[in-house]
Amino acid sequence: MMDAELLIAIKDTFIMVLIPTICAVFLGIPLGAVVFLTDKGGIRENKFINIPCNIYINVVRSFPFLIFVVILIPLTRLIFGTAFGLFPASFPICFVAVALYARFTEQSFYDVNSGIIDAALSMKASIFQIVWHFLLVEARSSLVLGLTSAIISFISYSTVMGVVGGGGIGDYAMRYGYNEYNYALVYRVVTIMIVIVFSIQIIGNRISKKLDKKRRIY
């Protein structure tokens, strides 16, 4: 059976992954859409918008995550009043989540058949309608797969948030496993993480396939 501390650690990890996932969906998708639409040759080509957005995405995605967490400590402390704790620990992951999923979204939109976009333009659809009724619908299967991969990445990022008192299953494994030379506990935690990751991947794959079948029917 799982002890109370481990259950709390799993709950903390769930929260640290849930918050960035919400940010990825509600901020990453719009940002990815903006990058796609304003790119060279795009529907609303605009380098003054596209370049800053791309810089943000590329810089955040390429930054070593632990160093990124440290750099954000002053901003985290300014917003939350402290750099330690569960919610402040989720803050840096949110930045990465938005950048990571924005790129996934952009790539998914590029995979959409250009004829569909041309059809939308011929019907005088607005930019919002093109994104909402055409791009998102056509790319939804790919977007689900991208989100699945992103969530697994968020889990990986959350395991190092013990450095800022974020808790979670990674911090639990370090404190009660590695630091106390209890390697059996470390292996147990690793097994739990593998099960969680496999479960998320299976669920994501099934949802993606189901959405892809519905799209083909239409």
Side-chain angles (χ1 to χ4, degrees):
M1 291 182 64
M2 296 185 185
D3 58 57
E5 286 282 343
L6 180 54
L7 289 174
I8 292 172
I10 293 174
K11 183 202 72 174
D12 289 347
T13 296
F14 175 78
I15 293 173
M16 276 193 287
V17 171
L18 178 62
I19 295 173
T21 300
I22 293 172
C23 290
V25 172
F26 288 99
L27 298 177
I29 290 178
L31 179 59
V34 167
V35 173
F36 172 78
L37 293 169
T38 60
D39 196 11
K40 186 175 181 180
I43 300 173
R44 288 291 185 273
E45 181 179 339
N46 189 326
K47 65 180 180 179
F48 298 106
I49 295 176
N50 186 269
I51 291 175
C53 290
N54 263 308
I55 289 174
Y56 166 78
I57 293 171
N58 291 332
V59 169
V60 172
R61 288 174 67 235
S62 62
F63 231 97
F65 182 66
L66 192 55
I67 298 176
F68 185 68
V69 172
V70 174
I71 288 176
L72 279 184
I73 285 178
L75 180 61
T76 305
R77 188 178 288 119
L78 179 66
I79 294 174
F80 294 94
T82 178
F84 296 89
L86 181 58
F87 291 104
S90 303
F91 186 61
I93 307 178
C94 290
F95 275 86
V96 179
V98 172
L100 188 65
Y101 199 52
R103 188 62 79 203
F104 272 128
T105 301
E106 180 198 8
Q107 292 169 351
S108 295
F109 286 172
Y110 274 117
D111 289 336
V112 173
N113 191 315
S114 60
I116 293 173
I117 299 175
D118 292 338
L121 291 171
S122 68
M123 290 186 283
K124 306 298 183 182
S126 66
I127 294 298
F128 175 80
Q129 289 172 330
I130 291 173
V131 174
W132 186 260
H133 295 291
F134 293 90
L135 291 174
L136 287 177
V137 171
E138 290 298 315
R140 58 188 179 183
S141 177
S142 177
L143 288 172
V144 170
L145 285 179
L147 184 61
T148 302
S149 297
I151 291 173
I152 292 171
S153 297
F154 304 159
I155 293 174
S156 176
Y157 295 142
S158 72
T159 59
V160 303
M161 295 315 295
V163 296
V164 289
I169 199 166
D171 182 54
Y172 175 87
M174 291 297 295
R175 283 190 291 120
Y176 298 109
Y178 179 77
N179 292 340
E180 296 183 7
Y181 302 100
N182 186 354
Y183 293 105
L185 186 144
V186 174
Y187 297 143
R188 183 184 176 193
V189 169
V190 169
T191 301
I192 292 172
M193 294 293 290
I194 291 173
V195 171
I196 291 173
V197 168
F198 266 78
S199 300
I200 292 172
Q201 188 67 63
I202 290 171
I203 292 171
N205 288 345
R206 288 184 176 178
I207 293 174
S208 176
K209 287 180 180 178
K210 187 170 290 187
L211 290 175
D212 191 47
K213 286 180 181 178
K214 288 182 178 179
R215 181 177 66 83
R216 290 177 182 177
I217 290 172
Y218 292 125

PDB file of all heavy atoms in Angstrom, residues 127-147:
ATOM      1  N   ILE A 127     -10.763  35.343 -39.411  1.00  0.00           N
ATOM      2  CA  ILE A 127      -9.593  34.659 -38.862  1.00  0.00           C
ATOM      3  C   ILE A 127     -10.009  33.720 -37.733  1.00  0.00           C
ATOM      4  O   ILE A 127      -9.550  32.574 -37.653  1.00  0.00           O
ATOM      5  CB  ILE A 127      -8.549  35.673 -38.353  1.00  0.00           C
ATOM      6  CG1 ILE A 127      -7.969  36.475 -39.517  1.00  0.00           C
ATOM      7  CG2 ILE A 127      -7.435  34.957 -37.601  1.00  0.00           C
ATOM      8  CD1 ILE A 127      -7.242  35.632 -40.539  1.00  0.00           C
ATOM      9  N   PHE A 128     -10.889  34.199 -36.864  1.00  0.00           N
ATOM     10  CA  PHE A 128     -11.366  33.366 -35.760  1.00  0.00           C
ATOM     11  C   PHE A 128     -12.076  32.119 -36.286  1.00  0.00           C
ATOM     12  O   PHE A 128     -11.857  31.013 -35.791  1.00  0.00           O
ATOM     13  CB  PHE A 128     -12.312  34.159 -34.861  1.00  0.00           C
ATOM     14  CG  PHE A 128     -12.932  33.324 -33.762  1.00  0.00           C
ATOM     15  CD1 PHE A 128     -12.209  33.030 -32.609  1.00  0.00           C
ATOM     16  CD2 PHE A 128     -14.212  32.818 -33.902  1.00  0.00           C
ATOM     17  CE1 PHE A 128     -12.769  32.242 -31.606  1.00  0.00           C
ATOM     18  CE2 PHE A 128     -14.790  32.036 -32.906  1.00  0.00           C
ATOM     19  CZ  PHE A 128     -14.057  31.751 -31.753  1.00  0.00           C
ATOM     20  N   GLN A 129     -12.905  32.303 -37.289  1.00  0.00           N
ATOM     21  CA  GLN A 129     -13.638  31.170 -37.863  1.00  0.00           C
ATOM     22  C   GLN A 129     -12.693  30.173 -38.538  1.00  0.00           C
ATOM     23  O   GLN A 129     -12.906  28.963 -38.443  1.00  0.00           O
ATOM     24  CB  GLN A 129     -14.674  31.682 -38.870  1.00  0.00           C
ATOM     25  CG  GLN A 129     -15.852  32.396 -38.229  1.00  0.00           C
ATOM     26  CD  GLN A 129     -16.750  33.061 -39.254  1.00  0.00           C
ATOM     27  OE1 GLN A 129     -16.298  33.485 -40.329  1.00  0.00           O
ATOM     28  NE2 GLN A 129     -18.030  33.165 -38.936  1.00  0.00           N
ATOM     29  N   ILE A 130     -11.667  30.691 -39.203  1.00  0.00           N
ATOM     30  CA  ILE A 130     -10.695  29.801 -39.839  1.00  0.00           C
ATOM     31  C   ILE A 130      -9.995  28.932 -38.792  1.00  0.00           C
ATOM     32  O   ILE A 130      -9.833  27.724 -38.968  1.00  0.00           O
ATOM     33  CB  ILE A 130      -9.659  30.612 -40.643  1.00  0.00           C
ATOM     34  CG1 ILE A 130     -10.330  31.260 -41.868  1.00  0.00           C
ATOM     35  CG2 ILE A 130      -8.485  29.731 -41.079  1.00  0.00           C
ATOM     36  CD1 ILE A 130      -9.429  32.216 -42.616  1.00  0.00           C
ATOM     37  N   VAL A 131      -9.597  29.567 -37.688  1.00  0.00           N
ATOM     38  CA  VAL A 131      -8.903  28.825 -36.626  1.00  0.00           C
ATOM     39  C   VAL A 131      -9.848  27.870 -35.922  1.00  0.00           C
ATOM     40  O   VAL A 131      -9.547  26.682 -35.749  1.00  0.00           O
ATOM     41  CB  VAL A 131      -8.272  29.798 -35.604  1.00  0.00           C
ATOM     42  CG1 VAL A 131      -7.686  29.025 -34.429  1.00  0.00           C
ATOM     43  CG2 VAL A 131      -7.194  30.641 -36.273  1.00  0.00           C
ATOM     44  N   TRP A 132     -11.023  28.375 -35.546  1.00  0.00           N
ATOM     45  CA  TRP A 132     -11.942  27.601 -34.713  1.00  0.00           C
ATOM     46  C   TRP A 132     -12.655  26.491 -35.486  1.00  0.00           C
ATOM     47  O   TRP A 132     -12.753  25.363 -35.006  1.00  0.00           O
ATOM     48  CB  TRP A 132     -12.967  28.538 -34.080  1.00  0.00           C
ATOM     49  CG  TRP A 132     -13.884  27.859 -33.095  1.00  0.00           C
ATOM     50  CD1 TRP A 132     -15.157  27.440 -33.303  1.00  0.00           C
ATOM     51  CD2 TRP A 132     -13.569  27.499 -31.745  1.00  0.00           C
ATOM     52  NE1 TRP A 132     -15.682  26.859 -32.175  1.00  0.00           N
ATOM     53  CE2 TRP A 132     -14.715  26.881 -31.201  1.00  0.00           C
ATOM     54  CE3 TRP A 132     -12.432  27.652 -30.947  1.00  0.00           C
ATOM     55  CZ2 TRP A 132     -14.761  26.412 -29.887  1.00  0.00           C
ATOM     56  CZ3 TRP A 132     -12.475  27.184 -29.643  1.00  0.00           C
ATOM     57  CH2 TRP A 132     -13.627  26.570 -29.129  1.00  0.00           C
ATOM     58  N   HIS A 133     -13.143  26.802 -36.669  1.00  0.00           N
ATOM     59  CA  HIS A 133     -13.973  25.851 -37.413  1.00  0.00           C
ATOM     60  C   HIS A 133     -13.200  24.999 -38.424  1.00  0.00           C
ATOM     61  O   HIS A 133     -13.726  23.978 -38.882  1.00  0.00           O
ATOM     62  CB  HIS A 133     -15.097  26.595 -38.144  1.00  0.00           C
ATOM     63  CG  HIS A 133     -16.080  27.250 -37.217  1.00  0.00           C
ATOM     64  ND1 HIS A 133     -16.948  26.536 -36.428  1.00  0.00           N
ATOM     65  CD2 HIS A 133     -16.313  28.565 -36.955  1.00  0.00           C
ATOM     66  CE1 HIS A 133     -17.690  27.380 -35.718  1.00  0.00           C
ATOM     67  NE2 HIS A 133     -17.323  28.612 -36.020  1.00  0.00           N
ATOM     68  N   PHE A 134     -11.994  25.417 -38.770  1.00  0.00           N
ATOM     69  CA  PHE A 134     -11.253  24.681 -39.789  1.00  0.00           C
ATOM     70  C   PHE A 134      -9.936  24.103 -39.249  1.00  0.00           C
ATOM     71  O   PHE A 134      -9.752  22.888 -39.260  1.00  0.00           O
ATOM     72  CB  PHE A 134     -10.979  25.580 -41.002  1.00  0.00           C
ATOM     73  CG  PHE A 134     -12.224  25.969 -41.744  1.00  0.00           C
ATOM     74  CD1 PHE A 134     -12.930  27.116 -41.398  1.00  0.00           C
ATOM     75  CD2 PHE A 134     -12.702  25.188 -42.789  1.00  0.00           C
ATOM     76  CE1 PHE A 134     -14.090  27.478 -42.079  1.00  0.00           C
ATOM     77  CE2 PHE A 134     -13.857  25.538 -43.474  1.00  0.00           C
ATOM     78  CZ  PHE A 134     -14.559  26.689 -43.112  1.00  0.00           C
ATOM     79  N   LEU A 135      -9.047  24.972 -38.789  1.00  0.00           N
ATOM     80  CA  LEU A 135      -7.735  24.496 -38.350  1.00  0.00           C
ATOM     81  C   LEU A 135      -7.821  23.569 -37.138  1.00  0.00           C
ATOM     82  O   LEU A 135      -7.231  22.485 -37.134  1.00  0.00           O
ATOM     83  CB  LEU A 135      -6.831  25.691 -38.033  1.00  0.00           C
ATOM     84  CG  LEU A 135      -6.384  26.528 -39.236  1.00  0.00           C
ATOM     85  CD1 LEU A 135      -5.621  27.759 -38.778  1.00  0.00           C
ATOM     86  CD2 LEU A 135      -5.521  25.696 -40.181  1.00  0.00           C
ATOM     87  N   LEU A 136      -8.555  23.995 -36.116  1.00  0.00           N
ATOM     88  CA  LEU A 136      -8.658  23.173 -34.909  1.00  0.00           C
ATOM     89  C   LEU A 136      -9.367  21.853 -35.174  1.00  0.00           C
ATOM     90  O   LEU A 136      -8.993  20.806 -34.627  1.00  0.00           O
ATOM     91  CB  LEU A 136      -9.378  23.939 -33.797  1.00  0.00           C
ATOM     92  CG  LEU A 136      -8.591  25.062 -33.123  1.00  0.00           C
ATOM     93  CD1 LEU A 136      -9.444  25.776 -32.094  1.00  0.00           C
ATOM     94  CD2 LEU A 136      -7.325  24.514 -32.451  1.00  0.00           C
ATOM     95  N   VAL A 137     -10.381  21.895 -36.018  1.00  0.00           N
ATOM     96  CA  VAL A 137     -11.131  20.679 -36.339  1.00  0.00           C
ATOM     97  C   VAL A 137     -10.252  19.700 -37.106  1.00  0.00           C
ATOM     98  O   VAL A 137     -10.214  18.498 -36.809  1.00  0.00           O
ATOM     99  CB  VAL A 137     -12.396  21.018 -37.153  1.00  0.00           C
ATOM    100  CG1 VAL A 137     -13.055  19.741 -37.668  1.00  0.00           C
ATOM    101  CG2 VAL A 137     -13.385  21.803 -36.284  1.00  0.00           C
ATOM    102  N   GLU A 138      -9.538  20.204 -38.094  1.00  0.00           N
ATOM    103  CA  GLU A 138      -8.704  19.330 -38.918  1.00  0.00           C
ATOM    104  C   GLU A 138      -7.469  18.822 -38.173  1.00  0.00           C
ATOM    105  O   GLU A 138      -6.985  17.722 -38.454  1.00  0.00           O
ATOM    106  CB  GLU A 138      -8.267  20.075 -40.186  1.00  0.00           C
ATOM    107  CG  GLU A 138      -9.381  20.323 -41.171  1.00  0.00           C
ATOM    108  CD  GLU A 138      -9.989  19.029 -41.691  1.00  0.00           C
ATOM    109  OE1 GLU A 138      -9.223  18.105 -42.031  1.00  0.00           O
ATOM    110  OE2 GLU A 138     -11.232  18.936 -41.757  1.00  0.00           O
ATOM    111  N   ALA A 139      -6.967  19.635 -37.254  1.00  0.00           N
ATOM    112  CA  ALA A 139      -5.721  19.271 -36.570  1.00  0.00           C
ATOM    113  C   ALA A 139      -5.954  18.654 -35.194  1.00  0.00           C
ATOM    114  O   ALA A 139      -4.987  18.375 -34.487  1.00  0.00           O
ATOM    115  CB  ALA A 139      -4.840  20.517 -36.433  1.00  0.00           C
ATOM    116  N   ARG A 140      -7.208  18.416 -34.813  1.00  0.00           N
ATOM    117  CA  ARG A 140      -7.496  18.014 -33.431  1.00  0.00           C
ATOM    118  C   ARG A 140      -6.814  16.712 -33.029  1.00  0.00           C
ATOM    119  O   ARG A 140      -6.357  16.575 -31.884  1.00  0.00           O
ATOM    120  CB  ARG A 140      -9.007  17.911 -33.220  1.00  0.00           C
ATOM    121  CG  ARG A 140      -9.722  16.938 -34.133  1.00  0.00           C
ATOM    122  CD  ARG A 140     -11.220  17.060 -33.984  1.00  0.00           C
ATOM    123  NE  ARG A 140     -11.916  16.125 -34.880  1.00  0.00           N
ATOM    124  CZ  ARG A 140     -13.230  16.068 -34.988  1.00  0.00           C
ATOM    125  NH1 ARG A 140     -13.983  16.876 -34.266  1.00  0.00           N
ATOM    126  NH2 ARG A 140     -13.793  15.207 -35.819  1.00  0.00           N
ATOM    127  N   SER A 141      -6.736  15.755 -33.941  1.00  0.00           N
ATOM    128  CA  SER A 141      -6.083  14.489 -33.622  1.00  0.00           C
ATOM    129  C   SER A 141      -4.600  14.706 -33.321  1.00  0.00           C
ATOM    130  O   SER A 141      -4.067  14.189 -32.335  1.00  0.00           O
ATOM    131  CB  SER A 141      -6.236  13.512 -34.781  1.00  0.00           C
ATOM    132  OG  SER A 141      -5.560  12.304 -34.518  1.00  0.00           O
ATOM    133  N   SER A 142      -3.953  15.490 -34.147  1.00  0.00           N
ATOM    134  CA  SER A 142      -2.541  15.809 -33.946  1.00  0.00           C
ATOM    135  C   SER A 142      -2.330  16.632 -32.680  1.00  0.00           C
ATOM    136  O   SER A 142      -1.348  16.444 -31.953  1.00  0.00           O
ATOM    137  CB  SER A 142      -2.009  16.572 -35.157  1.00  0.00           C
ATOM    138  OG  SER A 142      -0.673  16.965 -34.977  1.00  0.00           O
ATOM    139  N   LEU A 143      -3.268  17.540 -32.403  1.00  0.00           N
ATOM    140  CA  LEU A 143      -3.165  18.377 -31.205  1.00  0.00           C
ATOM    141  C   LEU A 143      -3.248  17.541 -29.935  1.00  0.00           C
ATOM    142  O   LEU A 143      -2.565  17.835 -28.943  1.00  0.00           O
ATOM    143  CB  LEU A 143      -4.268  19.438 -31.206  1.00  0.00           C
ATOM    144  CG  LEU A 143      -4.099  20.575 -32.223  1.00  0.00           C
ATOM    145  CD1 LEU A 143      -5.350  21.442 -32.258  1.00  0.00           C
ATOM    146  CD2 LEU A 143      -2.875  21.418 -31.885  1.00  0.00           C
ATOM    147  N   VAL A 144      -4.092  16.524 -29.955  1.00  0.00           N
ATOM    148  CA  VAL A 144      -4.206  15.635 -28.791  1.00  0.00           C
ATOM    149  C   VAL A 144      -2.899  14.875 -28.573  1.00  0.00           C
ATOM    150  O   VAL A 144      -2.427  14.747 -27.437  1.00  0.00           O
ATOM    151  CB  VAL A 144      -5.379  14.649 -28.963  1.00  0.00           C
ATOM    152  CG1 VAL A 144      -5.342  13.566 -27.886  1.00  0.00           C
ATOM    153  CG2 VAL A 144      -6.706  15.393 -28.883  1.00  0.00           C
ATOM    154  N   LEU A 145      -2.307  14.380 -29.647  1.00  0.00           N
ATOM    155  CA  LEU A 145      -1.023  13.686 -29.527  1.00  0.00           C
ATOM    156  C   LEU A 145       0.061  14.627 -29.015  1.00  0.00           C
ATOM    157  O   LEU A 145       0.885  14.240 -28.181  1.00  0.00           O
ATOM    158  CB  LEU A 145      -0.605  13.115 -30.887  1.00  0.00           C
ATOM    159  CG  LEU A 145      -1.347  11.872 -31.372  1.00  0.00           C
ATOM    160  CD1 LEU A 145      -0.822  11.454 -32.745  1.00  0.00           C
ATOM    161  CD2 LEU A 145      -1.183  10.716 -30.380  1.00  0.00           C
ATOM    162  N   GLY A 146       0.037  15.865 -29.499  1.00  0.00           N
ATOM    163  CA  GLY A 146       1.003  16.854 -29.039  1.00  0.00           C
ATOM    164  C   GLY A 146       0.828  17.169 -27.567  1.00  0.00           C
ATOM    165  O   GLY A 146       1.806  17.283 -26.823  1.00  0.00           O
ATOM    166  N   LEU A 147      -0.436  17.293 -27.138  1.00  0.00           N
ATOM    167  CA  LEU A 147      -0.711  17.579 -25.737  1.00  0.00           C
ATOM    168  C   LEU A 147      -0.293  16.404 -24.856  1.00  0.00           C
ATOM    169  O   LEU A 147       0.224  16.601 -23.752  1.00  0.00           O
ATOM    170  CB  LEU A 147      -2.201  17.878 -25.537  1.00  0.00           C
ATOM    171  CG  LEU A 147      -2.614  18.301 -24.122  1.00  0.00           C
ATOM    172  CD1 LEU A 147      -1.898  19.581 -23.716  1.00  0.00           C
ATOM    173  CD2 LEU A 147      -4.120  18.495 -24.036  1.00  0.00           C
TER     174      LEU A 147
END
